[in-house]
Amino acid sequence: MSSFASTGPGAPVAPRLLRRRPLRARRTVAGACIGLALSVVALSGCYREQVCGSEEVCDYADNDCDGKVDEGFIDAEAGGVYLSDDDCGACGVRCADVFPTAEGSACELIDGAAQCVLTDCAPGFHPVGGQSCAPDQPVLCLPCNDDGDCALRDPRSGCRTLRGGDKRCLPACEEGCPDGFECVTGADDRALCQPTSSVCACSSETGTLQLACLVEAPDGAVCTGTQVCDADGVGPCQSAVTERCNGEDDDCDGKVDEGFVDDQGRYVGPLHCGACGTPCVEPGPHTVATCLAEGEGARCDVRCESGFADADGLLANGCECRIYDGQGPPPANGDVDCDGKPDDDDAFVYVATTGSDANAGTILQPMRTVQAAIDRGRATGKDVLIARGTYRGDVQVVAGVSVFGGYRPDFRARDLGLYPVVLERFATVPGAPVLRCEGVEEPTRVDGLTVQGSDAAAPGRGSTALYADGCGPEVTFASITVVAGRGADGRKGLGAGARVGLVGVASLSALSGVDGGPGSVAADACGTLPGGEGGAMRCGDRSVSGGDGGASECSAVMCTVGRPCGNAGCSDFSDASGVCDIGAVLGAAVPNPPATPGDGIGAGAAGALTYDAPTTRGRCSFCDDNPSLQRIGGRGAAGAAGEPGLGGGACAEAPALDASDGRLEAGDGGDGGTGTNGAGGGGGTAGAGYAVIEGVADSCDSRPG
C-alpha cells in the first residue's frame, strides 16, 4: 500500500509509492450462476484526481477547467482578493463563523485587505464596539448613575430616579412588565417598567421576581448578576454572564476561559487552538485538522485524509493525490508518481477512440478496441480502463481482467455521467449479445459501461444485450446501463391449406361450393318446365347446398277480355290520375312457382318471383311490359362466406435459448380456431312466358317462360 507521514502543516513527508501486479487466484465454484460479488487485488499507486467540468468552488483549483482558479470568489477589481462572505480573505473563512452570535456579517475591503465586519446581532445580543455581540444582561432594579450604566447591559433600558432619590435601571415596556411593575412614560418620552410602590424591592406583588445585581470578582472586577425574590426575601446574587474565550474572567468567578482550556490551562478546542480565536480547520480538500496539546501549549496538526496524499507538498491546497488500494474502480489516473505531470503510465491497459490496437496500450498510446485490450490484459496481468466514446461490441469477459469505463480522454478524471462508455454491436448478427460472460470463476469486475443491444431481424428471434452463463459469485457487474434492442416479429403460422385434412377434405378447392343445374329449355307447347336443382354440398354434418331454381308452369292468369287482369300489372289497376294500386295488382296476379333459398347460416335468398304476361286484343304478344311486375327471371342471392377462425394464442410454447449465440427464440403460438361454414346460394326463378286471354279472336298459343 502507499503510505505517508506528516508531523504538521510545515513538515510534510513525500509519499512512498509501492507498485505490485494483480494476483491471479484460480478457484472452482460449484454450479453456474451470475455473481454479484468481487474481490480484486489490483495495482497500488497514487493518482491525481480532478473531475473536470464541475461547478467552480473555492478550493484553489480550476474545477470547471476554464483556465481560471476560484473565479466568482475573487474580486479582480479589488486586486484579486477573496471578498465573499463565505470565503473572506481565503477559502473557507466564513464571516458567520467569525461572529457566531451575529445575526448578520459581511466581508468588506478595509485598507486593501478583506475583513469580516459585524452588521447585526442576533436577538438577545447587542453590538459592542463593532467587534462582537454581547448578550443582553438583566437590568431590573440595578443601581445606576445615568442611562449609560444601563445601556451597557441592555441598550433599551434607562436610569430612573425613584422615591427618596434612589436611582435604578428599568427595562423597556416592549415585552411587557413583570408583576408589581407598570409601564410609565417619563419626561424623555421613554416608556419603562417602573415599580408600582416606587421602591425596587421584593414584595407580595412581585412574586418570584428576578432582580439585577452586581457580582464582584476576586480581583475587584464587577459582573452583572441576578437574585430571585422568594418567601424568605431576596436570594444570593448569581452571575448572569457567560464565560467567553477572551483571556478574561467574564463571569467574575475567579477563573479565566474555563470550558476552553484543559486542566493544565492549554487551549485545545477546534475553534481556539493554542489561543483564543485561533481555529484549527482543514485548509483544503481531503485533509484532517486536529488540535493537539503539546508541552505547555497546543498546535494544529493537519494531515491528509485516509486514502489521500499531498503530491505537491502544499497542505494549504489539500491532499490532491488519491492512493489506490485495489478496491473498486481505479481513480482518475495519469500521475502515478504524483509529481504533477502526466506519465506514460502502463499500470493498466488503456483504451480510447483515438487509439490503435497496434499501440502499446499506455496512457499516451492507448488501444482502440475493448476486446483487443482485454486480450492484452490477460497476457500481461493488467486491468482495462476505457475513455469516453462508443466502441465495438461482441466483448467477451475474461477471468481476472477487470474493465472500468467512464474516464476522460486523458484519463485524468473519471465521471460516468460526463464520460460515458457505450458498447454497440457492429457485427453482422442482429440481436446477438454485445457483452458476454461465460464460465468466469475468478475475481473480475465490469464497471461503468452502457451496453446497447441491437434489433433482431430473423422472424421469431430475440435480442440480447448482456449474456452471462456460468459466471461465479466472484464476478461483479457495477454501474452497468443496459439498453435493450427489439426482438423480431414472430414467425407466421401455417395457413388453412396445410390444415384441410382436419376437416376430411384433400384440398381447399374441395371446400368450394358447386353450381346448381340449369333449368329446362322452353318448348313451343305450354307446360310445366322444372327449374334446375341446386348444387349439393355438405361441410361436416351441415348442408350448405344451393337452392333449387324456380319452375315455369304457364300459370292461369285468370284474365278475360274486358276484365282487369292482375298479371297485366298496373295497366288495369291505375286510376284516372295514373296512381297504381300495387296491392291490388299483387293480390290478383298469379306468380310462377318460386325458387328455394340455399342452406346454411347466412344462406342466399331465392330469386324474385316472376309473373307470366297475358296476350290481348287479338295479338299474340305481351299485353303489358309494365315494370311493376317481375317479368325477367331473378338470380338467387349468394350465400354468406364463412367466418375465419380466431388466431392462435401467442407463445403457447416456452421460448428456447440458443446457447451458441446467446439469443432467445420465441416458442410456437397456438393453433388458430376453426372457421365457420359458408352457406349455399339461393335458386334463380324462371323468366315470364305469356298466356292467351280467354275470348281473344285471333288464334294464339300460350308460351312458357
Side-chain angles (χ1 to χ4, degrees), residues 411-429:
F411 295 96
R412 293 181 67 83
R414 184 175 193 257
D415 189 301
L416 303 186
L418 291 175
Y419 314 115
V421 172
V422 180
L423 298 183
E424 290 184 348
R425 187 172 181 88
F426 296 97
T428 57
V429 183

Side-chain angles (χ1 to χ4, degrees), residues 61-114:
D62 181 13
N63 307 105
D64 55 7
C65 301
D66 63 352
K68 302 176 184 178
V69 175
D70 292 348
E71 68 273 16
F73 303 94
I74 298 176
D75 192 323
E77 296 182 358
V81 177
Y82 288 82
L83 205 57
S84 70
D85 293 345
D86 289 335
D87 304 281
C88 188
C91 291
V93 179
R94 300 178 66 248
C95 292
D97 295 335
V98 176
F99 301 108
T101 60
E103 182 77 8
S105 58
C107 185
E108 296 183 1
L109 192 65
I110 301 176
D111 296 330

Side-chain angles (χ1 to χ4, degrees), residues 659-686:
S660 64
D661 63 9
R663 291 184 296 167
L664 288 175
E665 184 169 2
D668 291 338
D671 292 336
T674 303
T676 60
N677 300 321
T685 50

Side-chain angles (χ1 to χ4, degrees), residues 365-654:
Q365 291 185 320
M367 299 184 70
R368 176 63 181 87
T369 61
V370 176
Q371 189 61 57
I374 292 176
D375 294 340
R376 183 170 295 180
R378 172 168 49 188
T380 59
K382 300 175 183 178
D383 293 329
V384 176
L385 307 188
I386 311 173
R388 175 187 61 196
T390 301
Y391 298 87
R392 180 181 296 276
D394 196 10
V395 172
Q396 184 79 42
V397 176
V398 172
V401 180
S402 293
V403 179
F404 302 94
Y407 291 91
R408 204 169 69 183
D410 61 1
F411 295 96
R412 293 181 67 83
R414 184 175 193 257
D415 189 301
L416 303 186
L418 291 175
Y419 314 115
V421 172
V422 180
L423 298 183
E424 290 184 348
R425 187 172 181 88
F426 296 97
T428 57
V429 183
V434 176
L435 180 63
R436 301 171 68 101
C437 178
E438 297 172 281
V440 177
E441 296 182 352
E442 292 185 27
T444 309
R445 185 182 183 95
V446 182
D447 190 318
L449 305 177
T450 294
V451 182
Q452 173 72 62
S454 60
D455 295 343
R461 298 307 299 269
S463 171
T464 301
L466 191 159
Y467 177 64
D469 180 27
C471 293
E474 299 86 358
V475 179
T476 296
F477 290 98
S479 300
I480 303 294
T481 300
V482 179
V483 182
R486 295 178 179 273
D489 292 339
R491 296 182 299 273
K492 292 184 177 180
L494 296 175
R499 297 288 189 176
V500 294
L502 297 178
V503 294
V505 295
S507 65
L508 286 176
S509 61
L511 293 174
S512 301
V514 294
D515 295 334
S520 301
V521 179
D524 290 340
C526 182
T528 299
L529 299 176
E533 294 183 355
M537 186 66 188
R538 297 188 68 81
C539 284
D541 59 353
R542 183 183 297 275
S543 170
V544 290
S545 299
D548 294 336
S552 175
E553 292 184 342
C554 296
S555 57
V557 296
M558 305 300 291
C559 297
T560 59
V561 175
R563 285 173 46 188
C565 178
N567 281 49
C570 288
S571 297
D572 292 338
F573 291 89
S574 297
D575 57 19
S577 61
V579 177
C580 174
D581 186 352
I582 190 64
V585 172
L586 295 176
V590 179
N592 280 316
T596 61
D599 294 338
I601 299 173
L609 293 173
T610 58
Y611 295 85
D612 288 342
T615 62
T616 186
R617 297 181 179 81
R619 296 182 299 278
C620 294
S621 63
F622 289 115
C623 171
D624 191 353
D625 200 15
N626 192 300
S628 57
L629 290 176
Q630 180 81 17
R631 307 295 190 192
I632 300 173
R635 292 178 178 272
E643 294 292 333
L646 297 176
C651 298
E653 298 181 9

Side-chain angles (χ1 to χ4, degrees), residues 140 177-182 195-196 203-209:
L140 183 63
C177 296
D179 293 339
F181 288 77
E182 60 182 345
T196 55
S203 67
S204 59
E205 295 181 2
T206 58
T208 56
L209 182 67

Side-chain angles (χ1 to χ4, degrees), residues 122-148:
F125 290 80
H126 59 273
V128 178
Q131 296 300 316
S132 64
C133 288
D136 294 340
Q137 299 177 15
V139 296
L140 183 63
C141 293
L142 190 70
C144 60
N145 292 317
D146 53 33
D147 288 341

